[in-house]
Amino acid sequence: MSNAISQRVADFLKEYEPFNYLSFDDLIKIANTIRVINLEKHKSLFQINDVLHDTFYVVASGVIHLTVISDAEETLLNKCYAGDIFGLRPFFAKNNYQMTAKAREESIVYAIPIATFKPFVAQNSNVLDFLLESFAANTKGNLDNQNNGLISDNVSFSENQSDMLYFQSLAYNKTPLKITSNTMIKDAAQLVTENMLDSVLITENSFPVGIVTDKDFRSKVATGRVAFSNSIDKIMASPVVTVTENISVAEAQLVMLKYGVTHLCVTHDGTDKSDIKGIISEHDLVVAQANNPGVLLKEIKRSQTAKELKLVRDKLADIIQSSLNKNIPLTHINSIAGEITLAIVKRAVEQSILDLGSPPARFAWLSIGSQGRKEQLLLTDQDSILIFEDVSADKYRDVKDYFLKLAKKTTATLEKVGFIPCPQGHMGSNMLWCKSLTDWSKQYNNWMNTPGENSNEISSVFFDYEIAFGEQKIEDAITDVIFKDAKNKVLFYDYLGNDALKKPAPLNFFKKFNLEEDGEFKGKFDIKTRALMPLIDGARLLVMSNNIRGINSTYLRYKQLAMIDPKFSEIYLNCADAFLVLSKFRVLEGLKNDSSGQYINLEELNKVDREKLKNALAPMRELEELIKDKFQLTQFS
């Protein structure tokens, strides 16, 4: 492993337990022995009863599911995200693996040799304690997790999984009732009743000094223990348990349990010597848990109308906003949002089938473009294709008519949810993009073998896809067509390369932002066309030309390219980081203005953010030179 990559691996590890207990020099030694493994979606790293490996594992990116067999069914035991360790059995046991580790999506895993790591365990009790706790947590049987369950037949989320609580938005009363300590109990009770609240804060110099809840009124006043004529300080609980404004649902639950309280006072800095910002009740936590991603998937599966699906998508927007506020990694947010979005699309197809009756042939509905890459955090347009299995010539017309009707119903449902139709008509409801497997195979072959002949039809978004409903074998067949003789598609890569490089430049000669010169968005920066699309197009071109299949995410594409092409790893890793930064700018813009986030008003950014945005554009010049160097780019330039 090169020094640059070892350094990056060590930088990554130091952010997570138990590696943060080690010195950076030790981490470099460990990084030099690490083996990097790319796992395609659904590929297993090890299975139940496999012989133990001589390594344990750390998730670098993606999601790994740990599953066990219970009552003859595979049951989700745990989910591992970036920084999580798993596969620790070789440290503590001699028998074979007792669970299966499988990639839920395209993932990169670091394999750390146990022989290399054992000396550090012996020297550091914190490392040993962490490994023991992790091993115990990941080996609990299904009886220890009675509340866990599979929510959907194509998406596995644990309802009771604590990390999901960090993706929930927590709404609470931001205008709590406040009184002074000499207020009479009778007057306080009257105020609580009139305002239909269940608590009141007692303040001194605008700071919280006590709290009284409806339970206090019932147990202390209604029973006659304390007279109505007394001041409120006689029944208040003090000091008040205070928390910060950005507290998560999980954290709020833990604080309530720790102190045995039912209400938390939110203050500016989380102390009782700070301005009051609101109050959180147990009821607020119950409401917030309705926005748990696992619960949302259940709601999607039960939904009967587009209106019900829209309610779920609205809750997803809250989860995305809350996650960004808590600085949850964008790759993690994309993963959660991508699964929920695909589940919405799937349910929209199912609702169409319920209306039309059983399909006359097997088929696959593929989400393409940003949905296919699981990068659609905002309510932008919908892109899709429909592929049905080959049928006899005499049945073809009737079969296609059915699927066109199904696609039109589905796209209409998704439009009601909030996904506007693709302006270019790239949807399964368009007769051009609803056809048999053979016809689709011919379509892809034509695009790749003669890319310039029907340039009005070809769009690179057709090469980013993810199955939302139907037969996996149909999607696999299309993938086989695309990657057959991939290295010999010189003309196709020429076309894609020129397409990637012809996007308008983000900066001018003087390193100033190029802004829109006229129209509705005059004076704004087009972050999608000028910044994100060149990175997306470049990643697609490079993974296809390197015959890398099964990785749709732009970020993961660059991470994988860095592994297989170490000579240019620095460029790829810079592009991966830049993509996340630029994506976050777009999402924040879209959420702020309830828009697609495509056009950013730079005047609304502070100096630091403007510089951060400009720095994220720097890798694009190196990427452009790399593409020019690797591909001919003569035919279509």
Side-chain angles (χ1 to χ4, degrees), residues 396-605:
Y396 188 93
R397 183 171 179 176
D398 289 340
V399 170
K400 182 165 182 171
D401 283 346
Y402 171 90
F403 285 118
L404 279 172
K405 290 177 183 176
L406 180 142
K408 287 175 181 177
K409 280 184 174 291
T410 301
T411 53
T413 296
L414 293 174
E415 185 175 2
K416 291 175 183 176
V417 172
F419 299 102
I420 62 173
C422 172
Q424 288 78 36
H426 296 152
M427 298 184 296
S429 55
N430 184 332
M431 64 183 303
L432 286 173
W433 315 129
C434 172
K435 48 195 173 189
S436 69
L437 178 56
T438 292
D439 286 345
W440 267 113
S441 298
K442 291 177 181 176
Q443 179 73 75
Y444 275 101
N445 275 322
N446 288 338
W447 279 336
M448 299 184 76
N449 294 325
T450 56
E453 291 185 6
N454 292 300
S455 58
N456 62 313
E457 289 185 10
I458 187 173
S459 175
S460 54
V461 298
F462 288 97
F463 294 87
D464 297 332
Y465 51 81
E466 177 80 8
I467 187 167
F469 183 96
E471 293 289 323
Q472 180 65 51
K473 290 181 180 179
I474 292 178
E475 182 195 41
D476 294 342
I478 288 297
T479 302
D480 289 340
V481 169
I482 292 172
F483 283 93
K484 183 180 180 181
D485 299 326
K487 288 191 175 295
N488 297 323
K489 301 291 193 289
V490 177
L491 194 63
F492 179 60
Y493 299 136
D494 185 342
Y495 183 91
L496 288 186
N498 277 285
D499 188 53
L501 299 184
K502 72 181 182 183
K503 302 293 189 297
L507 302 175
N508 62 25
F509 177 79
F510 301 102
K511 304 300 180 184
K512 302 291 185 182
F513 288 100
N514 280 323
L515 307 180
E516 298 302 291
E517 296 181 354
D518 50 37
E520 180 184 356
F521 303 104
K522 182 179 179 180
K524 293 187 176 182
F525 179 65
D526 184 351
I527 195 169
K528 175 184 176 182
T529 307
R530 295 180 183 271
L532 286 167
M533 288 310 300
L535 289 172
I536 292 167
D537 291 343
R540 181 192 304 109
L541 165 65
L542 289 162
V543 295
M544 291 183 70
S545 63
N546 280 281
N547 202 27
I548 300 172
R549 58 170 73 194
I551 301 180
N552 294 341
S553 156
T554 301
Y555 174 78
L556 288 181
R557 282 172 168 173
Y558 281 119
K559 297 286 277 189
Q560 178 62 15
L561 286 164
M563 298 301 173
I564 67 165
D565 191 7
K567 180 180 178 182
F568 301 104
S569 63
E570 194 75 18
I571 296 175
Y572 298 134
L573 293 172
N574 288 338
C575 286
D577 292 340
F579 178 76
L580 293 183
V581 172
L582 294 168
S583 296
K584 190 169 184 178
F585 270 106
R586 181 182 180 184
V587 173
L588 290 172
E589 179 73 18
L591 292 173
K592 180 176 69 175
N593 297 310
D594 192 23
S595 67
S596 69
Q598 180 171 349
Y599 297 94
I600 293 181
N601 186 349
L602 297 180
E603 293 180 359
E604 294 179 356
L605 299 181

Side-chain angles (χ1 to χ4, degrees), residues 192-209:
V192 169
T193 302
E194 289 174 354
N195 287 277
M196 294 185 291
L197 297 172
D198 63 355
S199 64
V200 58
L201 287 170
I202 294 83
T203 64
E204 185 177 303
N205 298 324
S206 299
F207 299 155
V209 296

